[in-house]
């Protein structure tokens, strides 16, 4: 069955430090992968997506993610974190199991220290 | 600017009440979703609709029903609210129901059932 795993529930980094959020997926075919961010009191906003082509994907707010098929991973990175990046981050995979739908990971909550 | 709105940000209901959660999108999207978000569980799909009067069960439809009488509006109904339905409810819409499509989310309704 398709699944998405985000192994880190909470991550704390200092402002200006680099960030990597991990995401592993289980899916038989070529995956369609997404990263969303949820700021406090807000809905989810798409950061970036991958479905083909270059395995390094650029998104909004200075984020990027790299698709590694051999590791079944789609990790999110940012070279220098800003205090406004404090939020919850969700990885998701699009699936055609039965019909189109999206499976979300359990989320990683990011705290940024000033 | 695309927009998905939900009728209430916060809602408190009593056990056994019938509860309606409303979602409206202004993007002329055909596909709409209702998710439930709980800590440690991420987003779980309750129902989705790919056209007016059409609906499909998601992963956790028990205790819920939906209504889609107009393209822009998708309602989630708790027939008889129970305390285990206390949660954050998120509505989303997507124009192209393909795996590369971006879902647009509303701000969420935090429902408390007492």
């Amino acid at each position: 069955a398709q699944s998405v795993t985000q192994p880190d529930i909470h991550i704390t980094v200092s402002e200006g430090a680099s960030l990597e959020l991990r995401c592993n997926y289980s899916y038989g075919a070529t995956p369609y992968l997404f990263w969303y961010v949820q700021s406090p009191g807000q809905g989810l906003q798409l950061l970036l997506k991958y479905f083909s082509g270059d395995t390094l994907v650029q998104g909004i707010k200075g984020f990027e993610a790299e698709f590694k098929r051999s590791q079944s991973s789609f990790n999110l990175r940012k070279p220098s974190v800003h205090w406004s990046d404090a939020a919850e981050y969700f990885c998701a995979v699009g699936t055609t199991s039965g019909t189109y739908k999206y499976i979300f990971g359990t989320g990683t909550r990011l705290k940024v220290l000033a | 600017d695309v927009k998905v709105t939900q009728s209430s940000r916060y809602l408190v209901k009593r056990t056994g009440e019938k509860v309606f959660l409303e979602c409206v999108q202004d993007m002329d999207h055909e596909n709409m979703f209702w998710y439930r978000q709980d800590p440690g569980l991420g987003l779980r799909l309750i129902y989705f609709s790919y056209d007016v009067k059409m609906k499909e069960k998601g992963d956790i439809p028990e205790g819920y029903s939906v209504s889609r009488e107009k393209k822009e509006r998708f309602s989630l109904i708790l027939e008889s609210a129970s305390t285990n339905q206390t949660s954050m409810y998120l509505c989303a819409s997507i124009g192209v129901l393909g795996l590369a499509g971006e879902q647009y989310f509303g701000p969420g309704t935090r429902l408390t059932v007492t």
Side-chain angles (χ1 to χ4, degrees):
Chain A
Q2 297 88 351
S3 65
V4 176
T5 302
Q6 294 180 247
D8 304 305
I9 299 174
H10 293 98
I11 282 187
T12 300
V13 299
S14 297
E15 192 170 18
S18 63
L19 172 70
E20 182 168 31
L21 303 182
R22 296 183 290 164
C23 174
N24 293 98
Y25 66 89
S26 172
Y27 187 63
T30 299
Y32 290 69
L33 297 159
F34 306 81
W35 273 101
Y36 285 85
V37 61
Q38 184 180 34
S39 298
Q42 304 293 318
L44 277 69
Q45 180 185 21
L46 181 70
L47 282 175
L48 47 78
K49 61 185 178 183
Y50 170 82
F51 51 93
S52 67
D54 193 346
T55 57
L56 185 62
V57 180
Q58 302 297 319
I60 62 171
K61 304 181 188 234
F63 285 92
E64 66 178 26
E66 186 171 13
F67 169 61
K68 293 186 177 180
R69 184 186 301 275
S70 61
Q71 298 176 21
S72 298
S73 70
F74 188 56
N75 294 349
L76 183 71
R77 301 193 296 244
K78 186 169 185 178
S80 178
V81 169
H82 188 263
W83 63 266
S84 60
D85 294 323
E88 191 157 21
Y89 293 80
F90 292 92
C91 181
V93 62
T95 169
T96 57
S97 175
T99 186
Y100 290 120
K101 69 176 186 180
Y102 304 85
I103 298 172
F104 286 81
T106 52
T108 298
R109 186 170 295 278
L110 174 65
K111 182 177 179 179
V112 180
L113 301 177
Chain B
D1 195 18
V2 299
K3 188 171 285 187
V4 178
T5 57
Q6 296 184 228
S7 51
S8 303
R9 294 298 298 272
Y10 300 93
L11 210 52
V12 180
K13 296 292 183 181
R14 294 191 181 277
T15 301
E17 279 193 82
K18 191 170 186 176
V19 181
F20 294 85
L21 303 183
E22 304 285 337
C23 175
V24 177
Q25 50 94 3
D26 66 358
M27 297 164 282
D28 201 34
H29 284 171
E30 294 182 342
N31 310 285
M32 298 185 73
F33 303 78
W34 275 107
Y35 292 94
R36 172 175 171 161
Q37 181 181 9
D38 299 289
L41 297 178
L43 275 71
R44 293 179 291 167
L45 181 64
I46 305 172
Y47 268 97
F48 71 98
S49 168
Y50 50 89
D51 202 350
V52 176
K53 297 190 185 296
M54 307 300 286
K55 61 185 179 184
E56 290 273 351
K57 291 181 179 180
D59 298 317
I60 53 165
E62 297 78 17
Y64 303 94
S65 62
V66 291
S67 173
R68 184 123 181 249
E69 297 296 319
K70 294 185 177 182
K71 190 175 186 179
E72 68 270 18
R73 188 180 299 270
F74 190 34
S75 301
L76 179 69
I77 304 159
L78 286 65
E79 298 290 344
S80 177
S82 64
T83 54
N84 63 13
Q85 292 178 309
T86 292
S87 186
M88 170 71 87
Y89 291 87
L90 293 170
C91 175
S93 72
I94 185 170
V96 177
L97 192 59
L99 298 180
E102 172 185 354
Q103 293 184 80
Y104 292 89
F105 283 84
T109 295
R110 186 168 294 282
L111 172 67
T112 300
V113 182
T114 62

